[in-house]
Amino acid sequence: MKTRTIEKILPPPPVHFVGDGFRVHNFIPGVHPLSMQRMDPFLMLDYNSKYYFSPTDRPRGVGVHPHRGFETVSIAYSGRIAHHDSFGNSGVIGEGDVQWMTASSGLLHKEYHEKEFARNGGDFHMVQLWVNLPSRFKMIPPKYQPITNDQMGRYILPHDGGIIEVISGDYERVKGPASTFSPVSLINAKLNQGGKASFGFPSVNNTALLVIEGEIQVNVTDNVPADHFVLFRNDGEQFEITAKEKSVVLIMSGEPLREPIAAHGPFVMNTRAEIQQAFEDVSSGKFGHLDD
Ligand code: MN
């Protein structure tokens, strides 16, 4: 296998708020060169770096909004999020958990800090990633995969290096629980100081990592501190990370869909006409109803 080299190391861009509950750095598609085309099938990555929210009786979050044509993957590192949608589904994810929502044909939902977490206040640290759907799956009925931490695939690294948690895809034949509509690997590497792990993905896959905590070295050459994002070139399969201190790293790799992208706010389809149809379907009630 050939080494996959670094294309760019990106510091966290300035924060903005999504609603009043998500204080995020938008890496994809906000930062050059992380466009939806370059990162295909990853459409969007909002990163709420660790931030303390003070106690409140009125949970912060983002109100009712639609989605169509892709999947939203919420990964919680600390804090708790509650979710409700227009088809009566709801759930809570906390530290180490993932909510994988296939919005596909469309729904309305709202995302808030969970009540008790909001009341106590605390550190909030999470990622929301949007994964595109192949056109033939864009209009299937919505579905959910609530994945608790104990369901993750686990690979124990040798020499007390730490643990690899597989959300989707596989690592050393350990499979992640999430099912996907195209090849997508999402992996958390939780490394002890000095811990080492190498990753191999087909060179065609668009591949990146985000340092959630700590500091790592990539391919024994580049230091990457917390909250920084690494985009890899498509020039090889394998890269290696070493933890300079106790670290958590999110690794993402996906096979590009190579389909036209028509994106407007919460809708990602293949043509402008399909975006227009999404607006019409929201106003005619096809996404259901949900109270704020
Ligand atoms: Mn949403």
Side-chain angles (χ1 to χ4, degrees), residues 62 65-67 72 101 109-111 128 130:
V62 53
H65 59 279
H67 289 295
T72 68
M101 180 179 88
H109 80 158
K110 53 184 181 182
E111 298 156 284
Q128 188 169 99
W130 292 4

Side-chain angles (χ1 to χ4, degrees), residues 171-273:
Y171 185 84
E172 297 288 347
R173 283 186 232 129
V174 175
K175 276 178 98 60
S179 70
T180 63
F181 292 89
S182 64
V184 174
S185 292
L186 277 188
I187 291 171
N188 277 315
K190 301 187 167 172
L191 304 179
N192 297 324
Q193 185 173 18
K196 238 188 235 303
S198 57
F199 298 87
F201 302 106
S203 58
V204 67
N205 280 24
N206 291 324
T207 300
L209 64 78
L210 175 64
V211 180
I212 303 292
E213 245 176 64
E215 180 166 1
I216 61 167
Q217 203 164 53
V218 178
N219 291 338
V220 205
T221 48
D222 291 85
N223 284 349
V224 187
D227 304 336
H228 283 53
F229 187 95
V230 176
L231 171 63
F232 289 95
R233 292 198 180 91
N234 298 74
D235 58 352
E237 294 82 28
Q238 196 162 21
F239 64 90
E240 184 181 82
I241 64 176
T242 309
K244 303 193 70 178
E245 53 189 88
K246 202 172 161 55
S247 296
V248 178
V249 184
L250 173 65
I251 291 118
M252 63 206 89
S253 182
E255 186 180 297
L257 303 177
R258 296 206 172 91
E259 292 179 338
I261 296 173
H264 190 103
F267 310 126
V268 182
M269 303 300 289
N270 301 112
T271 66
R272 303 310 304 172

